[in-house]
Amino acid sequence: MRTTPRSTTQDTEAAPRARWRRLAARSRSGEDPSLRAAYRACRLTTRQHDPGMYALVQLMPPALRPAGWALWAAANVLDDLADQDGAEPAERAARVEAWTKALRRDVAAGSGSDPVRRALVDTALRWGLDLSGLYGAMAGTRDDVRGRRFADWAEWRAWCDEGVVPWVDQVGHLFERAGAPMAPRFDRRGDYEHFISGAQLTDTLTDLGSDLAQGLLLLPREALDAWPGAEDDLRRGRWSPAAAALVGATTDLARTWVARPGLTRGMHPGAANLLDTAARLLRAQLDAVDAAGASLLDRTPRPSLAARARILAPARVRARLAWSLTPRAVPAPRRPAADASGPRPAVAADTVLRPPPPHSGGARPPRIAADRMPRHVAIVMDGNGRWAQQRGLPRSEGHRAGSVAAHEMVYGALEIGLRHLTLYAFSTENWKRDTGEITAILEGVRRDLDAGRIRDLDVRQRWSGRPGRLPEELVQAFAHEERRTRARTGLTLTVCLDYGGRDEITRAAAALARAAQAGDVVPDLVDEEVFARHLPHPDMPDVDLLWRTGGEQRTSNFLPWQATYAELYFTPGPWPDVDRRDLWQAVAEYGRRRRRHGAAVPLASPRKPPTAPSAPL
Ligand code: IPE
Ligand code: IPE
Ligand code: MG
């Protein structure tokens, strides 16, 4: 987000703030001069490289500012390594990779071997940040040095989501730790990501001239093709009507992305002030891009000093007022994750991924031919209550036993190389049960997350469900796991908790309506693909196999959008009685089904029988 104007900001806190600043300075450095110097270096780097961001960090509470400098200094150092003039792309990529590797080592050791990493690791340890959420973005920066091409805006935005959102998320976590939540409500996540894309697009427009000088034009083909000749003209340094129209339309698009009025609803006023100010600065920057005309190709446009002052001066007053309501000191540093006590580590060490534990009876996974392998298996884990009642036990014991079976599914899925597993753990209708049972189910889920039995497996974990009703700390625990595991590539495990298919579709419709209102979507062009992009997990593939245990033959509001063409599979036994062999059996049954998706039955070549398992199921 190197988009905002060069700042004249200085730290000008009045008397009551001075006490916090002294306290912040003392505790953040721990009286360690080299650490103090490391933070000072980050402050300077942020200020020199990214004055707009520096001005925004100054709107954070004093206790958080050093962390803000450390994060943005790190982002800038990586950008610089990736952009270094005169170095070959391979060499630049190797430098980014080496820096990232060194950071992983430093995170594990709990200290840093260069000033920026030192400050960043210290920040993570003090504030309980999980830096592993940044590794995917760093890998993206490494790959970017070879040049990026985007087919359309969706691809362009996916690039922002991977490369920029994780950095901004870290700032969100900082605010959360400081007791001043900046994270958007779950149903506003789309707006938040649009906002960040808008900031990135503003950045791209601002740097258009310097990027073109390096042969880069970071706009998607979809936009370039809409203005024939514009790309050629820009690359030749010609400010033609087509080039001006392309830039004008892109500037308008960035404006709609950064204007997300509901984004800050429910946030702490200090956090909301920060985001609102960022939006105003971005708009001023876009005005400067508009006003630049042909000169955009020769120099970097900036809003006037007066325009910046009009935005920043009142923002500083609001920040002082807002943060005076929530004083916060810098916490003392903690030990790195490997030594930390407690259920969830403050900083994930560079986890070594392990294979799943073997089946207790020694069962080996079957070999499944690729064309018989479902991509996505979804399971209605039913029958816990009856299982317990049949044994004279309380229903909560059934749910406890059910959690063992759920882990078995994850192990079994990894062993056969399944890519997506979605488990239905609690429906929007399950609130009709008595409070004791609901509490037992939700506490069980929380216990499982804390126990971390799948923590070191190659599993990307996430939650799907209705925002707002689950206990906040459970939602946060899921969010934490999601961040920690987002770069994993093995199995994607989606746990549906307070999930309802109709609710999901309704929320997608609301998101679509908001997008149409904001001008991002043309109602007449809405098709299934556009609709699906507004689902809470747009990347979730269609369900190939939907399995329900417990003998009922219904889907109970589970994944209606994604499972329209799923093969249905019902088994009579209750959920706690299944283990991974039952999953393999279900997949084998899927391999025998003939899927037609509405096409006519083919006449010839019945499929070969499935490959025999390497050991009996
Ligand atoms: C499924 O088991 C788990 C949840 C719905 C949370 P049930 O609790 O529905 O078990 P039965 O169907 O009553 O046996
Ligand atoms: C479906 O099971 C929901 C889950 C397994 C989480 P239910 O037991 O709630 O479904 P119905 O009530 O039998 O349809
Ligand atoms: Mg049931």
Side-chain angles (χ1 to χ4, degrees), residues 31-82:
E31 306 303 338
D32 174 345
S34 68
L35 185 57
R36 221 174 11 232
Y39 276 113
R40 235 189 347 259
C42 291
R43 179 180 184 160
L44 260 175
T45 306
T46 308
R47 193 171 190 167
Q48 281 166 0
H49 284 232
D50 201 341
M53 186 51 66
Y54 182 80
L56 289 175
V57 173
Q58 296 306 102
L59 299 180
M60 289 163 79
L64 288 187
R65 289 179 197 167
W69 301 326
L71 275 165
W72 287 98
N76 280 304
V77 163
L78 281 164
D79 268 357
D80 284 355
L81 290 175

Side-chain angles (χ1 to χ4, degrees), residues 382-384 386 395 433 548 552 554:
D382 196 25
N384 292 350
R386 278 165 286 162
R395 290 175 64 87
R433 300 190 180 195
R548 179 172 186 147
E552 311 290 0
R554 55 178 170 259

Side-chain angles (χ1 to χ4, degrees), residues 381-387 395 399 425-426 430 433 437 441:
M381 310 185 289
D382 196 25
N384 292 350
R386 278 165 286 162
W387 180 92
R395 290 175 64 87
H399 298 305
F426 189 86
N430 286 146
R433 300 190 180 195
E437 181 172 354
I441 294 169

Side-chain angles (χ1 to χ4, degrees), residues 233-273:
D233 292 335
L234 284 174
R235 288 193 186 278
R236 286 162 201 257
R238 276 202 308 253
W239 187 252
S240 64
L246 166 66
V247 170
T250 311
T251 310
D252 286 347
L253 182 65
R255 244 188 220 106
T256 60
W257 284 354
V258 297
R260 299 280 145 179
L263 185 62
T264 54
R265 207 169 293 149
M267 280 184 195
H268 183 284
N273 177 47

Side-chain angles (χ1 to χ4, degrees), residues 293-312:
S295 70
L296 186 60
L297 300 181
D298 306 320
R299 58 188 159 80
T300 307
R302 295 284 175 210
S304 68
L305 267 174
R308 281 168 359 219
R310 270 198 301 276
I311 296 168
L312 285 171

Side-chain angles (χ1 to χ4, degrees), residues 128-141:
L129 299 187
D130 179 355
L131 296 183
S132 65
L134 293 174
Y135 295 148
M138 291 178 184
T141 306

Side-chain angles (χ1 to χ4, degrees), residues 319-592:
R320 268 202 289 279
L321 189 67
W323 297 126
S324 68
L325 305 171
T326 320
R328 184 71 169 100
V330 182
R334 288 185 255 169
R335 296 178 66 75
D339 302 332
S341 57
R344 281 191 292 129
V347 178
D350 192 12
T351 312
V352 178
L353 296 179
R354 283 179 237 288
H359 181 257
S360 57
R364 304 278 308 125
R367 283 188 302 273
I368 297 162
D371 65 337
R372 288 168 196 283
M373 182 69 164
R375 187 161 172 233
H376 183 185
V377 175
I379 311 181
V380 182
M381 310 185 289
D382 196 25
N384 292 350
R386 278 165 286 162
W387 180 92
Q389 282 159 345
Q390 278 156 15
R391 286 162 178 74
L393 298 168
R395 290 175 64 87
S396 57
E397 284 306 310
H399 298 305
R400 191 184 284 274
S403 126
V404 177
H407 284 89
E408 269 291 299
M409 289 313 114
V410 175
Y411 304 150
L414 282 166
E415 284 184 322
I416 57 172
L418 183 69
R419 302 306 308 275
H420 288 265
L421 176 68
T422 302
L423 300 178
Y424 203 5
F426 189 86
S427 72
T428 45
E429 288 70 35
N430 286 146
W431 293 103
K432 292 175 193 155
R433 300 190 180 195
D434 72 48
T435 319
E437 181 172 354
I438 294 171
T439 308
I441 294 169
L442 299 184
E443 281 182 357
V445 173
R446 179 62 211 255
R447 241 192 342 266
D448 286 344
L449 281 172
D450 285 348
R453 268 175 287 170
I454 59 173
R455 183 169 290 152
D456 298 345
L457 307 183
D458 191 6
V459 178
R460 175 167 76 118
Q461 275 197 76
R462 58 190 188 176
W463 161 65
S464 181
R466 191 167 47 168
R469 190 156 177 190
L470 290 173
E472 184 53 25
E473 48 136 28
L474 183 56
V475 171
Q476 290 308 331
F478 268 113
H480 177 88
E481 284 311 304
E482 187 165 337
R483 286 194 299 273
R484 205 178 57 80
T485 61
R486 64 192 296 166
R488 296 196 183 164
T489 54
L491 173 74
T492 294
L493 171 68
T494 308
V495 177
C496 292
L497 198 71
D498 196 14
Y499 173 90
R502 284 191 171 177
D503 167 71
E504 183 178 55
I505 291 175
T506 309
R507 282 190 289 122
L512 193 62
R514 278 199 298 272
Q517 214 168 28
D520 297 340
V521 162
V522 181
D524 288 342
L525 299 182
V526 172
D527 56 13
E528 290 180 13
E529 209 186 303
V530 171
F531 186 88
R533 281 213 292 269
H534 291 82
L535 287 165
H537 290 297
D539 64 334
M540 180 182 274
D542 280 355
V543 176
D544 296 308
L545 173 65
L546 192 154
W547 169 26
R548 179 172 186 147
T549 60
E552 311 290 0
Q553 306 210 351
R554 55 178 170 259
T555 56
S556 301
N557 203 9
F558 190 36
L559 301 173
W561 178 270
Q562 299 85 346
T564 44
Y565 257 102
E567 293 297 323
L568 303 180
Y569 179 67
F570 300 105
T571 52
W575 178 248
D577 281 347
V578 307
D579 73 14
R580 67 186 87 177
R581 291 169 302 175
D582 298 281
L583 173 69
W584 299 339
Q585 198 76 61
V587 169
E589 166 63 20
Y590 168 84
R592 288 188 284 271

